Amino acid sequence: MNAPARKTMIAGNWKLNKTIREAIELVTLLKRRLCDVENTDVVVCPPYTAISDVGEILAESEIKLGGQDLYWEDKGAFTGEISGAMLKEAGANFVIVGHSERRQFFNETNETVNKKIKAALKNSLTPIVCIGETLEEREGGRTFQVIGAQFKGAFGNFSREEMKKVILAYEPVWAIGTGKVATPQQAQEVHAFIRKELWNAFGEAVASGLRILYGGSVKPGNISDLIKEVDIDGALVGGASLEADQFSELVKQAMVIAPLRGLE
Ligand code: PGA
């Protein structure tokens, strides 16, 4: 079997869930169940209060650590915020940027997303940048327009070298936490569009090397069909990442498909 051109990634976004004790419990189970991970990158993104403890437990494991957000300044009078350097010190190598919940509830804009991605790269964190349309936008026939604008807003002033270090996540807002997953064909259509935008803006090498994850009601039962699509390189998982059985089963399903996919 050929090696996949783009390594599959499964990232768990715990959102506002898990006390320190619960986080330790979950990650201890995950570490045990996923000790033989191969062909797939696994990342967990706990809340800030638990990130150091989770990082310590994961230190010698195959599972990697990410933050759920960051601020673009390194330090200063920004109450409630956290910097890239702080995440890095806690053991993180990844950070989610521009999640639709941040855009919806916390006034995240394309401009702040852009600054945050730059700050992540400056601190050697790999940003997982989320873009996606609402139901109203999809039903109004504006999906590609919205995705295109989010893409340009996030990466307008990026160099090829910077862009290579980014991971994208297509998360249709109507599929997040609703149980209403996009069909593999619906997701693939948008992933292909994003890859074309990447190609136009940054050239073939960046477009074909960059991973685009899908997010929105991903479960053990639908991950395989999603990542069989040529442009879907993994998943950003919310609800199903909160429980060890479900998340490890989901990763195992992905590991079965991983060696077969991504061959363009
Ligand atoms: P969900 O969340 O899997 O619960 O739909 C996905 C996400 O918000 O990243």
Side-chain angles (χ1 to χ4, degrees), residues 11-13 15 96 99-101 130 169 171-173 175-180 214-219 235-242:
N13 173 10
K15 307 189 181 182
I96 299 169
H99 190 281
S100 64
E101 286 149 16
C130 303
E171 299 208 305
V173 178
I176 295 178
T178 57
K180 207 172 156 191
Y214 166 80
S217 298
V218 176
K219 302 273 178 304
L236 183 54
V237 184
S241 72
L242 297 176

Side-chain angles (χ1 to χ4, degrees), residues 116-135:
K116 289 181 175 189
I117 306 168
K118 292 256 181 191
L121 294 177
K122 193 177 110 189
N123 288 287
S124 306
L125 292 163
T126 300
I128 302 174
V129 182
C130 303
I131 54 181
E133 81 287 2
T134 63
L135 186 60

Side-chain angles (χ1 to χ4, degrees), residues 19-262:
T19 62
I20 296 176
R21 188 181 53 75
E22 291 166 345
I24 290 173
E25 252 171 51
L26 172 56
V27 82
T28 304
L29 284 172
L30 288 178
K31 191 177 161 182
R32 211 175 297 150
R33 290 188 198 171
L34 296 174
C35 57
D36 55 355
V37 173
E38 52 180 14
N39 299 324
T40 301
D41 284 331
V42 181
V43 182
V44 292
C45 304
Y48 299 136
T49 45
I51 197 162
S52 282
D53 290 280
V54 170
E56 258 174 53
I57 295 168
L58 293 180
E60 302 286 298
S61 90
E62 285 298 308
I63 305 174
K64 301 180 176 83
L65 188 68
Q68 296 179 14
D69 187 27
L70 82 167
Y71 194 58
W72 56 82
E73 297 289 350
D74 290 337
K75 59 181 168 181
F78 304 104
T79 302
E81 296 296 330
I82 190 163
S83 73
M86 290 171 181
L87 289 175
K88 191 80 196 173
E89 189 193 25
N93 285 309
F94 295 85
V95 61
I96 299 169
V97 180
H99 190 281
S100 64
E101 286 149 16
R102 304 261 2 135
R103 294 179 192 255
Q104 258 182 298
F105 306 133
F106 303 100
N107 301 323
E108 194 84 86
T109 63
N110 290 334
E111 194 191 351
T112 59
V113 168
N114 173 270
K115 288 186 188 178
K116 289 181 175 189
I117 306 168
K118 292 256 181 191
L121 294 177
K122 193 177 110 189
N123 288 287
S124 306
L125 292 163
T126 300
I128 302 174
V129 182
C130 303
I131 54 181
E133 81 287 2
T134 63
L135 186 60
E136 196 192 348
E137 288 160 347
R138 174 163 281 264
E139 287 176 344
R142 299 202 307 280
T143 299
F144 295 125
Q145 188 189 324
V146 169
I147 301 283
Q150 288 174 342
F151 179 87
K152 286 193 185 70
F155 305 114
N157 53 0
F158 270 54
S159 68
R160 279 184 192 174
E161 282 316 303
E162 286 175 313
M163 201 61 204
K164 266 189 207 158
K165 299 178 187 146
V166 169
I167 294 176
L168 275 163
Y170 167 56
E171 299 208 305
V173 178
W174 49 271
I176 295 178
T178 57
K180 207 172 156 191
V181 64
T183 65
Q185 295 70 30
Q186 277 176 321
Q188 166 59 27
E189 190 187 19
V190 179
H191 281 233
F193 171 80
I194 296 169
R195 212 173 290 287
K196 201 172 95 241
E197 294 284 289
L198 278 165
W199 187 305
N200 293 340
F202 300 101
E204 182 186 356
V206 173
S208 59
L210 196 143
R211 288 184 282 189
I212 309 174
L213 314 181
Y214 166 80
S217 298
V218 176
K219 302 273 178 304
N222 57 29
I223 184 67
S224 307
D225 286 339
L226 286 161
I227 61 171
K228 277 180 192 160
E229 297 292 337
V230 67
D231 289 303
I232 304 180
D233 305 314
L236 183 54
V237 184
S241 72
L242 297 176
E243 212 255 310
D245 280 348
Q246 273 218 328
F247 192 63
S248 44
E249 180 54 28
L250 202 155
V251 171
K252 284 181 181 162
Q253 296 290 335
M255 273 164 57
V256 174
I257 306 296
L260 310 172
R261 58 164 305 278

